[in-house]
Amino acid sequence: MRTITTTQELAEYCGQAANHPYITVDTEFLRERTYYSKLCLIQLAMPGTDDSGAVLVDPLVEGLSLEPLYELFRNTSVVKVFHAARQDLEIFYVDAQVFPEPLFDTQVAAMVCGFGEQVGYETLVRKIAREGVDKTSRFTDWSRRPLTDAQKTYALADVTHLRQVYEFLAAKLEETGRHKWVEEELEVLTNPDTYITEPRDAWKRIKTRTSSARFLGIVRELAAFREAFAQERNIPRNRVYKDDAMVELASNKPKNHEELGRARLLLREARKGEIADGILKAVAAGLACSNDDLPQPDRSREKLQVNPALADLLRVLLKAKTESASVAAKLIASAADLDAIAAGARDVQAMRGWRLEVFGNDAKALCEGKIALTAIGNDVKVVRV
């Protein structure tokens, strides 16, 4: 189990990898105590049936530069293969503003190839490679050194079996002509906006039970302060204050430290110092915000007049079409999308791109009364009318 600890070793390995059609990649990281993930280990494997082309890269070694790896990521003649790549890609983008190109995500490909919704790596390895994966080291502390042999074995398994999984899925996509489907899905993963949280937009993730614009204005200011504070100090946002405490603060609108001290859900560390001052300034800013600048809740879905019967028919159609196409239903449309289509909306994901071919065209025809559904045995069939 070879571990690369110098920039020169990494450059030599990446130079060899550049001569192959693909390389498999995985990472181990920690995020419990930081805002940004702490990269602890990188696993790489070149094509082959043994482990001779598989290595571990230790990014915690002082003086090791990852630039040779990033140069390989920019090499468009080598496919970079990940499984469930989002968190890995975020690490590399935050560190060097680089995305692996071209990218292949076996989880996305598996959903397109009929392996179910968000299928796990162990499941794919079991079904395709006919191997088992020992996950006992999954939740160990990857920042501690030295790594144990069990940790190294576990880490390498995440890229060695991935080679067979990739080759099988790539062949399946070639056979079915669905490469474009996967490429459309991966566009989100290689969009910088996927990994950038602007403090001013952080409020949109907060779940509230009120649609008061003034309340949302205070939430916006509190969320912006928390996000900026957490980013600057690289600490988890919940270490500043949690969502339920934010909602409480927006409701109570404390104007001074005495009122702030009455908050039930606020962490002790947030009742004084920089965080307390920031909270009071955020509440004051939300209260002072002009009506024109207050955030407005999205009521577009509330205005939709959903036909429940039609929505149920669309669910049946979706199940029938996805089973016929051997593709995960969740990848095509959510329950909210189906309700929106039943209410007349057409600007939803299910009505664009490859989804239009698989489901969208028939969904529109069903809404317009141009097709009907009938059951033949255990199968649901589409009937033109």
Side-chain angles (χ1 to χ4, degrees):
M1 292 182 284
R2 178 188 171 195
T3 300
I4 289 176
T5 58
T6 69
T7 305
Q8 180 61 32
E9 287 180 287
L10 182 59
E12 291 173 359
Y13 180 86
C14 291
Q16 295 173 17
N19 296 316
H20 292 277
Y22 73 86
I23 185 170
T24 55
V25 189
D26 191 36
T27 69
E28 306 299 337
F29 56 88
L30 296 178
R31 198 169 191 168
E32 291 80 6
R33 298 184 293 272
T34 57
Y35 182 91
Y36 300 105
S37 296
K38 179 180 180 180
L39 180 60
C40 299
L41 192 67
I42 304 170
Q43 303 97 277
L44 305 169
M46 291 183 276
T49 57
D50 57 25
D51 293 345
S52 61
V55 297
L56 304 174
V57 180
D58 190 348
L60 300 184
V61 174
E62 186 175 354
L64 174 68
S65 170
L66 295 180
E67 184 53 36
L69 178 61
Y70 295 148
E71 187 61 32
L72 181 62
F73 281 179
R74 299 183 189 101
N75 184 340
T76 57
S77 66
V78 182
V79 178
K80 273 64 71 171
V81 182
F82 293 75
H83 180 82
R86 180 178 175 129
Q87 293 188 82
D88 303 311
L89 298 188
E90 181 180 16
I91 291 172
F92 297 129
Y93 180 75
V94 169
D95 183 54
Q97 291 74 56
V98 62
F99 288 118
E101 184 184 0
L103 169 70
F104 190 99
D105 189 323
T106 54
Q107 186 179 70
V108 174
M111 292 172 73
V112 167
C113 291
F115 280 86
E117 299 175 358
Q118 295 180 321
V119 60
Y121 178 67
E122 309 96 285
T123 301
L124 289 179
V125 170
R126 186 177 66 253
K127 289 185 175 181
I128 296 174
R130 306 297 181 186
E131 298 281 355
V133 178
D134 182 2
K135 306 298 286 186
T136 55
S137 296
R138 182 176 184 179
F139 296 111
T140 56
D141 185 350
W142 292 98
S143 67
R144 295 187 63 179
R145 294 295 184 271
L147 295 173
T148 66
D149 286 345
Q151 284 178 305
K152 293 178 180 179
T153 299
Y154 162 84
L156 281 176
D158 279 348
V159 287
T160 51
H161 297 314
L162 189 57
R163 297 176 296 195
Q164 193 171 344
V165 171
Y166 163 69
E167 290 175 2
F168 176 89
L169 291 174
K172 193 76 172 176
L173 292 174
E174 186 68 30
E175 176 187 329
T176 58
R178 294 182 178 180
H179 273 292
K180 289 292 184 182
W181 296 17
V182 174
E183 290 173 6
E184 280 188 40
E185 297 309 298
L186 295 184
E187 287 177 3
V188 175
L189 292 180
T190 54
N191 184 342
D193 292 342
T194 302
Y195 309 101
I196 298 173
T197 301
E198 295 293 345
R200 199 66 176 167
D201 294 329
W203 70 277
K204 297 175 182 177
R205 295 199 310 265
I206 309 301
K207 295 181 180 179
T208 65
R209 295 182 178 180
T210 177
S211 58
S212 163
R214 181 62 58 186
F215 175 86
L216 292 177
I218 299 172
V219 169
R220 180 180 64 187
E221 299 300 329
L222 287 167
F225 165 70
R226 181 180 71 170
E227 204 72 22
F229 190 92
Q231 289 177 353
E232 289 168 5
R233 290 158 181 79
N234 196 23
I235 59 174
R237 58 175 68 90
N238 283 345
R239 284 266 302 277
V240 185
Y241 43 82
K242 297 183 179 180
D243 289 0
D244 55 358
M246 184 187 304
V247 172
E248 180 189 32
L249 292 168
S251 298
N252 296 340
K253 309 174 188 64
K255 296 180 177 61
N256 53 52
H257 285 82
E258 181 181 353
E259 293 181 5
L260 182 63
R262 300 189 192 120
R264 294 183 303 110
L265 303 176
L266 202 60
L267 298 171
R268 183 172 21 177
E269 294 80 2
R271 298 170 185 266
K272 58 187 178 181
E274 289 182 287
I275 298 178
D277 291 342
I279 289 172
L280 294 175
K281 288 180 182 178
V283 171
L287 290 170
C289 184
S290 68
N291 290 335
D292 292 341
D293 291 334
L294 290 174
Q296 298 299 320
D298 182 6
R299 292 193 171 93
S300 58
R301 292 293 172 102
E302 296 176 9
K303 298 176 182 177
L304 295 175
Q305 299 297 314
V306 179
N307 181 331
L310 181 55
D312 287 342
L313 284 175
L314 285 168
R315 285 167 171 75
V316 174
L317 176 66
L318 177 65
K319 187 174 188 299
K321 298 296 289 186
T322 53
E323 286 182 354
S324 174
S326 295
V327 61
K330 186 176 181 179
L331 198 60
I332 300 286
S334 65
D337 286 340
L338 297 177
D339 287 342
I341 295 170
R346 296 294 178 263
D347 186 23
V348 295
Q349 185 173 250
M351 307 297 280
R352 296 192 294 267
W354 65 270
R355 294 174 176 82
L356 185 65
E357 173 191 344
V358 175
F359 171 73
N361 285 326
D362 278 346
K364 181 181 177 184
L366 182 66
C367 293
E368 295 173 351
K370 296 178 180 179
I371 64 172
L373 303 177
T374 185
I376 302 177
N378 293 326
D379 298 326
V380 173
K381 301 293 184 181
V382 172
V383 179
R384 303 290 165 184
V385 296

